[in-house]
Amino acid sequence: MLGHLLHRRGVDSVIIENRSEEYVVERVRAGVLEQHVVDLMIETGVGARLQREGLRHDGVWLAFGGIRRRIDFAELTGKAITVYGQNEVVRDLIDARRATSRPLHFEVDHVSVGGLDSNPVVRYRKDGKEHELTCDVIAGCDGFHGICRPSFPPGVLTAFDRVYPFAWLGILAHAAPSSEELVYSLTDRGFALFSMRSPKVTRLYLQCAPDEDIEAWPDERIWSELETRLSTRDGWKPNTGPIFQKGITPMRSFVAEPMQFGRLFLAGDSAHIVPPTGAKGLNLAVADVRVLADAISRFYDSGSETALDAYSHTCLQRIWKAQRFSWWMTSMLHLGVPHNGFDYRRQIAELDYITSSRAGMTTLAENYVGLPIDTPR
Ligand code: PHB
């Protein structure tokens, strides 16, 4: 997305990716886009398939104590969310990149960055050949395990984190979604989430232990647990069907500050991780690169580094609000480990309050659809 935004402003870039193209377009990841991401894709000419295939959701359901209550995003905020796989976004952006003939290299390794405070350079190996790239700016969009964050000089970064005592077991099934909107559920057996990827594919998650052995979860056990945790007294439950993908998602909150050293800028998971409850990961990454693209193009327009130097502060204001929201959704919706009866009853009371007070519903809705992005003028 950063390469795409820079191209539209006439700025050259080289994109290098460690994985293969097949891996990045096939690997199923997040699936919920905030309105600003949808608007950006449409406005910048990469939204045609999203407009055809994306599923617009005007609300979300919260289930607890056998009932489910709806939060109406459209009525409360005038905005919506769109279900469209992150890997589909990546596919559309690769197609757009190819159409520009600008460089995009997959299966690159031995990547290192240097000269960060004066003359940035990126070194990498592709097809056994060493390359050296001198540039004005390096964007570290290389994820939590990438090389850019560890390339900051010692003492520059402060890391803040929280690890949760649970994880998600996620599946994809060939089953028509039985609800048009997502259902987040808390029961005395733990959390479950009903989501989807298309009119024929349901995506479901169960709270499990962080070291859960996926082998201990044959399909029948997964369906039986999902049915127990998701069925509500009004007769609603997920449709079942053949499971074609299973995996465990760890849960972690993490922020590294600042997101800049010299001409190296971190964006997305390389600087911050959220637990998936609330679906903020991809949306935060897109918000970062919007601010960064803006700052880089100002640098080329005026020679001024003011916007580049404000990047970290600008992004972190909103990142911490999304961190708070993701932590809050996670804490409200998961069974504590160890289980504590007081906490469980308090969580049920909170869900009851949040889904019945207009103020409560509004606070969830405006965070879920995405807070405003501050790009300084
Ligand atoms: C998903 O569909 O993968 C999904 C939806 C909502 C979340 C997390 C994941 O909060």
Side-chain angles (χ1 to χ4, degrees), residues 63-67 186-187 233 344 348:
F64 54 96
I67 60 162
L186 172 65
T187 72
R233 279 202 298 273
Y344 181 65
I348 297 291

Side-chain angles (χ1 to χ4, degrees), residues 39-99:
D39 293 345
L40 182 69
M41 288 186 65
I42 295 169
E43 280 162 23
T44 64
V46 288
R49 198 162 64 95
L50 167 65
Q51 283 179 292
R52 281 198 309 277
E53 297 175 17
L55 307 169
R56 182 190 152 101
H57 289 191
D58 284 331
V60 76
W61 294 88
L62 295 186
F64 54 96
I67 60 162
R68 56 188 177 125
R69 295 214 184 112
R70 184 166 181 267
I71 311 270
D72 189 332
F73 298 154
E75 198 251 327
L76 292 160
T77 68
K79 293 186 191 164
I81 51 144
T82 298
V83 170
Y84 188 70
Q86 174 170 333
N87 56 317
E88 305 300 336
V89 173
V90 169
R91 196 185 293 254
D92 296 339
L93 288 167
I94 291 172
D95 289 348
R97 181 77 179 180
R98 289 258 152 75

Side-chain angles (χ1 to χ4, degrees), residues 29 31-32 168 182 184 193 195 197 203 205 276-279 368:
R29 307 196 62 187
V32 173
W168 283 8
L182 273 54
Y184 288 86
L193 170 61
S195 180
R197 280 296 177 278
R203 176 95 167 126
Y205 298 97
T277 335
Y368 202 105

Side-chain angles (χ1 to χ4, degrees), residues 165-215:
F166 37 73
W168 283 8
L169 191 164
I171 62 157
L172 282 166
H174 292 295
S178 62
S179 159
E180 284 185 7
E181 294 169 347
L182 273 54
V183 182
Y184 288 86
S185 176
L186 172 65
T187 72
D188 58 8
R189 297 180 64 86
F191 168 80
L193 170 61
F194 166 92
S195 180
M196 67 203 68
R197 280 296 177 278
S198 74
K200 290 184 180 156
V201 173
T202 300
R203 176 95 167 126
L204 296 146
Y205 298 97
L206 286 169
Q207 176 183 352
C208 64
D211 57 354
E212 194 76 43
D213 177 11
I214 196 105
E215 299 304 321

Side-chain angles (χ1 to χ4, degrees), residues 3-14:
H4 175 61
L5 297 177
L6 291 175
H7 162 72
R8 290 176 48 85
R9 287 160 153 149
V11 177
D12 293 343
S13 62
V14 177

Side-chain angles (χ1 to χ4, degrees), residues 62-322:
L62 295 186
F64 54 96
I67 60 162
R68 56 188 177 125
R69 295 214 184 112
R70 184 166 181 267
I71 311 270
D72 189 332
F73 298 154
E75 198 251 327
L76 292 160
T77 68
K79 293 186 191 164
I81 51 144
T82 298
V83 170
Y84 188 70
Q86 174 170 333
N87 56 317
E88 305 300 336
V89 173
V90 169
R91 196 185 293 254
D92 296 339
L93 288 167
I94 291 172
D95 289 348
R97 181 77 179 180
R98 289 258 152 75
T100 68
S101 308
R102 289 193 188 272
L104 166 60
H105 305 303
F106 290 96
E107 296 176 73
V108 159
D109 56 17
H110 288 77
V111 181
S112 65
V113 295
L116 303 179
D117 45 12
S118 47
N119 299 299
V121 52
V122 181
R123 296 188 180 86
Y124 63 92
R125 196 160 73 182
K126 165 86 184 152
D127 300 328
K129 233 183 105 198
E130 306 291 336
H131 296 264
E132 191 175 289
L133 204 61
T134 53
C135 54
D136 296 320
V137 168
I138 303 171
C141 309
D142 55 346
F144 185 71
H145 300 287
I147 61 101
C148 287
R149 193 178 67 254
S151 302
F152 275 50
V156 172
L157 283 177
T158 308
F160 302 92
D161 73 339
R162 178 178 288 264
V163 174
Y164 299 87
F166 37 73
W168 283 8
L169 191 164
I171 62 157
L172 282 166
H174 292 295
S178 62
S179 159
E180 284 185 7
E181 294 169 347
L182 273 54
V183 182
Y184 288 86
S185 176
L186 172 65
T187 72
D188 58 8
R189 297 180 64 86
F191 168 80
L193 170 61
F194 166 92
S195 180
M196 67 203 68
R197 280 296 177 278
S198 74
K200 290 184 180 156
V201 173
T202 300
R203 176 95 167 126
L204 296 146
Y205 298 97
L206 286 169
Q207 176 183 352
C208 64
D211 57 354
E212 194 76 43
D213 177 11
I214 196 105
E215 299 304 321
W217 287 85
D219 294 5
E220 314 76 67
R221 182 175 174 209
I222 292 176
W223 284 122
S224 135
E225 196 61 34
L226 280 167
E227 211 165 289
T228 309
R229 295 193 200 178
L230 283 168
S231 305
T232 42
R233 279 202 298 273
D234 59 7
W236 181 78
K237 59 179 184 179
N239 289 332
T240 61
I243 296 176
F244 63 95
Q245 210 231 46
K246 281 186 209 180
I248 308 266
T249 310
M251 309 276 271
R252 176 194 276 142
S253 299
F254 174 89
V255 181
E257 295 183 1
M259 293 162 66
Q260 172 195 8
F261 176 76
R263 294 290 185 82
L264 172 62
F265 296 84
L266 302 179
D269 283 18
S270 67
H272 44 78
I273 301 275
V274 285
T277 335
K280 289 282 164 251
L282 161 127
N283 294 298
L284 278 177
V286 174
D288 287 351
V289 300
R290 281 181 85 144
V291 177
L292 188 53
D294 208 58
I296 292 173
S297 68
R298 276 157 194 262
F299 167 65
Y300 285 112
D301 288 346
S302 67
S304 159
E305 298 192 28
T306 309
L308 284 175
D309 289 340
Y311 167 74
S312 179
H313 179 74
T314 304
C315 290
L316 283 166
Q317 306 300 307
R318 188 172 181 275
I319 288 163
W320 275 110
K321 288 179 190 147

